[in-house]
Amino acid sequence: MGSLDGWRPRLRGAARLLRAAPAAAVARLRAPTARPPRFAGAYDSREQAVAAAARLGDVGYDHEALADVSFARMCRTAAWDYPVLFWLDRWLPESRSLLDAGGHMGTKFIAFSRLLDLSRTDWTVYDLPAIIRTARARQKAGELPAEIGFIDRLDVAETPDILLGSGLLQYLDVPFADLIAQFPRPPRFILLNKVAVREGPTLFTLERIGTARVPYRIRNRREWLNDISALGYDIADSWTIPELAHVIPTHPWQGQSQSCGYALRRAEG
């Protein structure tokens, strides 16, 4: 009886894969077309994902044509922003500067300024050159708040009191530790949101954003938590975002990822 009980989860898993196979086959057929699924492919490295994307068209986010994609929606506050707002409300009074890494054209400043007093915060957005060029042009035209600073290189930035990365980690093309190492010293506080994690090995897929395919990293959860600790940070808070969990349609057997957020405080001593 015990042996049969042990096989039941495996049989259920096999049944799920059989049910998913037709949909996965359709998703794979759509992947190289003009309207692929939002996520397609599963790769062991970012380099493999980039090579696959290059065969399909534009690669990555560094294209001015992508600046408008979902911009209005990103300027609105979503349910998963509220944990970040909670910690900003606690940490901003003892902080002067904030670096919004991967902050697009200041969408979080626009969204959060409706709920928080950001008048005393030196808010700087760091993003890819094409996005920053577009942001600066729009700011000069009066279309973006004048209070936002924009940079496309970290070597011109001082260490911020708060590092914000909302939706940054899955697109970052270097290890997170390398990003932190570019500052003169580690930030005191870090707020990360929409970090894609899974129980299995780290993998990369391709996300369709506008006309481009963008490598999207899904981290192994345990390795990611070890990375946080190795950087010298304590997890003050963490949360999950069920609405942003997903299965790769072309590779459903890889299982469902989770989307998580973290409030990190530099460990004392």
Side-chain angles (χ1 to χ4, degrees), residues 117-139:
D117 179 8
L118 301 178
S119 60
R120 298 181 180 179
T121 303
D122 179 9
W123 190 293
T124 302
V125 167
Y126 164 65
D127 213 308
L128 295 167
I131 303 298
I132 295 301
R133 283 195 301 270
T134 303
R136 286 172 173 162
R138 293 192 177 183
Q139 189 180 54

Side-chain angles (χ1 to χ4, degrees), residues 8 26 159:
R8 282 173 177 162
V26 172
T159 299

Side-chain angles (χ1 to χ4, degrees), residues 156-261:
V156 301
E158 297 181 357
T159 299
D161 297 316
I162 301 173
L163 174 65
L164 172 64
S166 183
L168 166 71
L169 268 292
Q170 56 267 46
Y171 305 116
L172 191 64
D173 59 358
V174 297
F176 187 56
D178 290 0
L179 178 76
I180 299 299
Q182 294 184 62
F183 296 114
R185 62 185 184 281
R188 183 180 179 190
F189 303 116
I190 299 179
L191 283 168
L192 302 173
N193 213 11
K194 299 186 285 185
V195 181
V197 298
R198 66 192 299 258
E199 299 307 325
T202 293
L203 63 79
F204 292 78
T205 185
L206 293 176
E207 182 179 8
R208 173 178 51 81
I209 299 178
T211 58
R213 270 74 164 190
V214 181
Y216 183 103
R217 181 173 181 167
I218 306 175
R219 287 170 165 77
N220 172 269
R221 182 194 304 276
R222 184 175 296 276
E223 290 177 356
W224 167 237
L225 295 179
N226 289 339
D227 288 346
I228 292 174
S229 179
L231 283 169
Y233 285 88
D234 294 327
I235 299 176
D237 191 15
S238 64
W239 54 93
T240 58
I241 309 169
E243 305 96 309
L244 299 184
H246 63 263
V247 172
I248 302 171
T250 58
H251 291 72
W253 49 88
Q254 294 289 354
Q256 187 176 61
S257 69
Q258 274 197 322
S259 185
C260 299

Side-chain angles (χ1 to χ4, degrees), residues 73-148:
R73 177 176 57 79
M74 291 190 292
C75 288
R76 297 192 294 268
T77 305
W80 48 81
D81 288 320
Y82 282 92
V84 174
L85 285 163
F86 171 84
W87 285 100
L88 282 177
D89 189 49
R90 296 192 64 174
W91 287 345
L92 280 176
E94 52 182 304
S95 304
R96 178 186 60 84
S97 59
L98 182 149
L99 182 71
D100 185 0
H104 201 248
M105 295 193 293
T107 54
K108 291 307 176 190
F109 180 92
I110 295 169
F112 293 173
S113 62
R114 302 180 183 119
L115 299 169
L116 294 175
D117 179 8
L118 301 178
S119 60
R120 298 181 180 179
T121 303
D122 179 9
W123 190 293
T124 302
V125 167
Y126 164 65
D127 213 308
L128 295 167
I131 303 298
I132 295 301
R133 283 195 301 270
T134 303
R136 286 172 173 162
R138 293 192 177 183
Q139 189 180 54
K140 186 176 181 179
E143 299 172 7
L144 294 176
E147 300 91 334
I148 307 173

Side-chain angles (χ1 to χ4, degrees), residues 34-46:
R35 191 66 178 176
R38 180 183 170 191
F39 294 100
Y43 309 93
D44 293 331
S45 69
R46 191 176 191 279

